[in-house]
Structure formats: structure tokens, C-alpha cells
Amino acid sequence: MSQRHIIQVFEQYQKARMQFVQSVADLTARPQNVEILQNAGVMSMLRPLMLDVVPSIQQTAALALGRLADHSDDLAEAVVKEDILPQLVNSLASQNRFYKKAAAFVLRAVAKHSPELSQAVVACGGVEALVLCLEEFDPGVKEAAAWALGFIARHNASLSQSVVDAGAVPLLVLCLREPEMALKRIAASTLSDISKHTPELAHTVVDTGAIAQLAEMTLNPDAKLKRQVFSALSQISKHSVSLAEMVIEAEIFPAAVACLRDPDEYVRKNVTTLMREVVKHTPELSQVIVNCGGMAAVIDYLGDCHGSLRLPGIIMLGYVAAHSESLAMAVILSKGVPQLALCLSEEPEHHIKAASAWSIGQIGRHTPEHARAVATANLLPKLLQLYMDASSSEDLQLKSKTALKSVLQKCTHLPALEPLLYDAPSNILKHVVCQFSKVLPHDSKARRLFVTSGGLKKVQEIEAEPGSPLQEYINAINSCFPEEIVRYYSPGYSEVLLERLENYQPA
């Protein structure tokens, strides 16, 4: 056999390998092909090709494996069981940038499915290898590595700590300074995933100067970057007062408030989420957001969005109102109550209704003036309806009941209370009757109206156990009126009158 013929054989073999691996990579791009390929044992065929002498064959084999692992957790587990991960990690250091991107993709595709699969990546030294990739010159390699690290970190605090321990955080912060927009986005996203689990992890991110870098990008024109930046700042702020104060001290506000008018709905949602995480800690932090116009802007935002996008704004108003009478009044004066009433009536999702009910309760629970703002928005019957509706979720029923009781205990606006006399169950009714017993002794106009509207008659019809608080409240109400009027409106009195009429003998 001639040398030329031998060379041709080798060329044909190389061409066949390339053609095979490229065809498999193309087929894995379509989800409907994946199961067929797996049943044909494609993973076992791809594994040796990852050690091929031809770099392009190695890269394409890695790409195909990444697509398979990305498809389902079963296939990701198969990659782990085939012992492919150690092979990938060991070859990362010596290969070119194209292979490194493909290998990082495989690690990401495996890690994304579960903490257990992420742990398999950690166990084979994958995190350390990915951190080394963050030091590469090529921005595409850095991006692929940052993305994979984010998928590992997002599962739990332990995995996130393994990313921190490998030295990823300072390098991710450096990635925020790179000119490539995609790299900035992924770095911010990964810092968000690291920060979210514990105060200690968030402090690790903050200690590398991340807040200042993130703050610089809050007004960047790129919407996808801003989404990730505000998400990261939210995850940092949520853990403690000190972390929230560090975010405030970076002078993100009031400039961030302008982003509530951003065309991108997720930028708006993440800004609102950041405000929610800041205001929940203290009245002072709430006041900072109120003073810079953040609360009024969030109330406007609630009118422009629907569904889950509303949720952080709804909860934010509740947090602000919960802190003090003055902050709750600021929510009222900014027209927060009508906006929450809309959310309560418009939103079909029970968890959003429950959040709205909770926030309404936080506003109305302070003083009679606060309760009146809730009552005059006709929210008391709505809260009662949601509490009594058997189709309401358990959480919605509980939050509606709690809000209703807390507002009722402060409400002295009797016209809003009276309809509840007819509809409320006994556990709510006692709070309604209690408020009448407090107000009627001191208000002659209210007493007259209570009689003419039928309220006094309704109170006489209530069946209360002798000696119960409800009976005591009824007695207190009755003592506000002449005995003959109370008797006149008592059940059965008309029959007594008719009986007297029948027995009456004219002179």
C-alpha cells in the first residue's frame, strides 16, 4: 500500500469523524431528535471524540453533549454517569477558546437542572476550572464561564459558597468593567445569584466593590443589563439594614426612580423589587424612598401593569405603611388606596389578591383616619367577600380576614360599617358591633341615622350568647336609645302590638 493511499485512508477517517459529529450536533439542535439519539447510544460515541486530535471535532462533540445535557435532567445525569465531566475539566486548561466555550456550555447545561447535578460539577473541579476561564483574554470564554458559575450558584448557599471560595467574585466584578455588553449582563446576573442566599454571601460580593460598579450601570441604555443590575442590587439589599444602607449610599436614588418609566417591563419590575427590599427594613429607609418620589412613582406604575409585575409594588406599599402612621398616611395621600383596590378587584391570581389585602390592612390599621380611607374606598365588603368565598385560597382568606379585623378595630365611619351588619359572620360581626358601641354614645346624628337606616333593627335580630362580648356590645348600643324604641325594633314586637290591638276594647 502506497504512502499516498495511507494518507487518503486517514483523511477519509478524519472526514467521517467530522461529518458524524457535525451531524449529531445539528440533530441535537432539534428537541424531537434528542430521545432517538440517546436511545442509539450517542453519548458513548461522543465521549472518545472529545479527546480527538482534531480540535474542531473536540469542540463540536462538546457542543453536541451540551445540547443533550441542556435538554433534560435525565440526559444531564447520563453525562455525569458517562464520566464525561472530569475529562472536560482536565482538558479545559490546555485547549483553545472555542473548546473552552463549548466545555463551559456543557458544565452549565448539567448544572442548571438541580443542586445534585451542580454538585457533580463542583466535585470534579469544575468550579475552579471555570474561574480560571474568567481570567482568559477572550470575552466569549469569560461569558460562558460566568454563565455556568451562575447556574451553579443559584441553587443554594452551599453551592454559592463553593463559587465564592474558588475566587470567582473579584473576577466577576472585573467583568462588569469589560466593554462587551453580554459579559456585563452575565456577570451581574451571576453576582445576583451568589448574593441572594445569605447575608454573608451578599457581604462577600459587596466587599469586592460590586455596589459601586452596579450603581454606575443603573442608567445604562441597555435594558437587559439594567434588569440584571437591579436584580443584583435587590438581592444584596434584602438581607439586612446595613446592606440596604450601602445600596442607598451608592446614590442610586432618585436616579433609579426614572427607570420606572423604562420601556422594558422587567426593568420596571426589578426597580420596584429593589425599592421593596429597601423599604421593608426601617421607617428611615422607607422615608428615603418616599422623599425621592419612589412611592408615588410605584403607585403610578401599578396603574400601568398587570399580573405578577404588580406584586413587588403592592408589597412595597404595605411595607411602607406598616412602619408608622405618617408613612401610612403618605401612601393614602399619594392615592395608594384606590390603586390597591383596583389590584384587589382586577387580578385573578389569589396570591396577588392576598398581597393587596395585606397591604390594605397595613394602611388602615393605624388610626380612625387611616381606616376611613380604606372604608370609603368600599374595601370592607370586598375583603369580607374574599374571606367568606369558599373558592379563595387559604392564604387569601387569612389575609383578607386579618386585614378586615385590623381596619374594623379602628374604623369609626359608620356608613361603611353598616352593610357588614347584614353579611358578616359572628367572628367579624363582633368587631363591627363593637365599633358602633364606641361611636353611637357620642354622636346624636349617627344615632338618628342608625335608626332610620334599619341598623338598630338589625342589631336586635342578632343572636348573641348571654354574657358574650357581642351581647355586651349590643347592650351598649341599646343603652344609647329610649327603651320603647329598642322594644319597637325588637323581633316579635309587631306581634305584641297586634295582640294588644285585638284585646283592646274601645270606650
Side-chain angles (χ1 to χ4, degrees), residues 33 71 106 144 216 248 324 475:
N33 297 330
H71 184 262
V106 178
E216 282 181 20
I248 291 288
S324 69
N475 294 342

Side-chain angles (χ1 to χ4, degrees), residues 288-346:
V288 170
I289 300 299
V290 172
N291 291 349
C292 73
M295 187 181 67
V298 165
I299 292 169
D300 289 341
Y301 162 73
L302 287 176
D304 296 332
C305 64
H306 296 281
S308 63
L309 296 172
R310 275 177 160 170
L311 194 56
I314 290 167
I315 298 172
M316 178 211 162
L317 295 182
Y319 280 141
V320 172
H323 285 303
S324 69
E325 291 178 15
S326 61
L327 284 166
M329 187 53 67
V331 177
I332 292 168
L333 295 175
S334 298
K335 305 291 190 290
V337 174
Q339 199 62 263
L340 287 170
L342 276 176
C343 296
L344 195 65
S345 61
E346 289 178 353

Side-chain angles (χ1 to χ4, degrees), residues 211 214-215 218 230 233 247-257 274:
I211 290 178
L214 292 165
T218 53
F230 285 118
L233 292 169
V247 171
I248 291 288
E249 286 162 9
E251 298 183 354
I252 289 163
F253 297 101
V257 176
L274 169 59

Side-chain angles (χ1 to χ4, degrees), residues 5-305:
H5 185 64
I6 293 170
I7 291 170
Q8 282 179 336
V9 170
F10 276 101
E11 285 175 349
Q12 285 172 354
Y13 176 52
Q14 180 173 319
K15 187 177 178 182
R17 298 197 318 279
M18 188 69 227
Q19 190 174 4
F20 169 76
V21 77
Q22 187 62 60
S23 298
V24 171
D26 291 342
L27 287 167
T28 55
R30 295 187 181 89
Q32 63 267 30
N33 297 330
V34 169
E35 191 175 344
I36 301 166
L37 289 167
Q38 174 61 4
N39 292 338
V42 74
M43 243 175 233
S44 301
M45 299 176 198
L46 288 170
R47 186 184 173 192
L49 294 173
M50 293 189 57
L51 297 174
D52 200 277
V53 292
V54 181
S56 59
I57 292 175
Q58 293 178 353
Q59 295 149 26
T60 312
L63 175 64
L65 281 167
R67 286 175 177 169
L68 289 167
D70 195 51
H71 184 262
S72 72
D73 51 356
D74 288 340
L75 288 168
E77 283 178 23
V79 169
V80 174
K81 287 174 184 172
E82 286 283 344
D83 226 21
I84 290 167
L85 295 185
Q87 187 175 312
L88 263 177
V89 170
N90 290 336
S91 57
L92 257 176
S94 59
Q95 297 291 347
N96 64 30
R97 61 195 173 102
F98 301 107
Y99 181 86
K100 287 178 179 177
K101 282 194 276 188
F105 170 53
V106 178
L107 296 175
R108 182 186 101 212
V110 170
K112 81 170 192 178
H113 294 288
S114 69
E116 293 74 23
L117 286 165
S118 281
Q119 190 59 53
V121 174
V122 174
C124 71
V127 171
E128 290 79 4
L130 289 166
V131 170
L132 284 174
C133 288
L134 289 177
E135 299 185 48
E136 289 284 324
F137 177 76
D138 184 79
V141 174
K142 290 180 183 177
E143 182 189 336
W147 206 347
L149 290 167
F151 273 104
I152 294 166
R154 70 179 50 178
H155 289 295
N156 57 45
S158 172
L159 288 164
S160 192
Q161 189 65 54
S162 70
V163 172
V164 169
D165 292 343
V169 173
L171 295 169
L172 288 166
V173 173
L174 285 175
C175 289
L176 295 175
R177 300 177 188 170
E178 296 286 347
E180 289 77 19
M181 197 57 66
L183 180 54
K184 288 177 184 285
R185 292 174 195 153
I186 297 301
S189 173
T190 302
L191 289 169
S192 177
D193 286 326
I194 292 169
S195 303
K196 72 182 183 181
H197 299 290
T198 66
E200 292 75 22
L201 286 163
H203 269 291
T204 302
V205 171
V206 170
D207 290 344
T208 59
I211 290 178
Q213 290 297 318
L214 292 165
E216 282 181 20
M217 294 184 288
T218 53
L219 295 180
N220 191 290
D222 185 79
K224 289 180 180 177
L225 175 60
K226 283 189 287 190
R227 287 182 194 177
Q228 303 304 336
V229 165
F230 285 118
S231 172
L233 292 169
S234 301
Q235 299 293 2
I236 292 167
S237 300
K238 75 179 185 181
H239 293 291
S240 68
V241 175
S242 62
L243 285 165
E245 285 174 345
M246 287 180 196
V247 171
I248 291 288
E249 286 162 9
E251 298 183 354
I252 289 163
F253 297 101
V257 176
C259 293
L260 282 173
R261 295 188 294 275
D262 195 276
D264 187 274
E265 61 186 18
Y266 290 102
V267 170
R268 300 196 300 272
K269 180 184 181 183
N270 289 358
V271 172
T272 310
T273 303
L274 169 59
M275 291 189 200
R276 179 193 73 194
E277 300 300 353
V278 169
V279 302
K280 74 180 184 183
H281 293 294
T282 66
E284 292 75 19
L285 286 168
S286 285
Q287 196 65 57
V288 170
I289 300 299
V290 172
N291 291 349
C292 73
M295 187 181 67
V298 165
I299 292 169
D300 289 341
Y301 162 73
L302 287 176
D304 296 332
C305 64

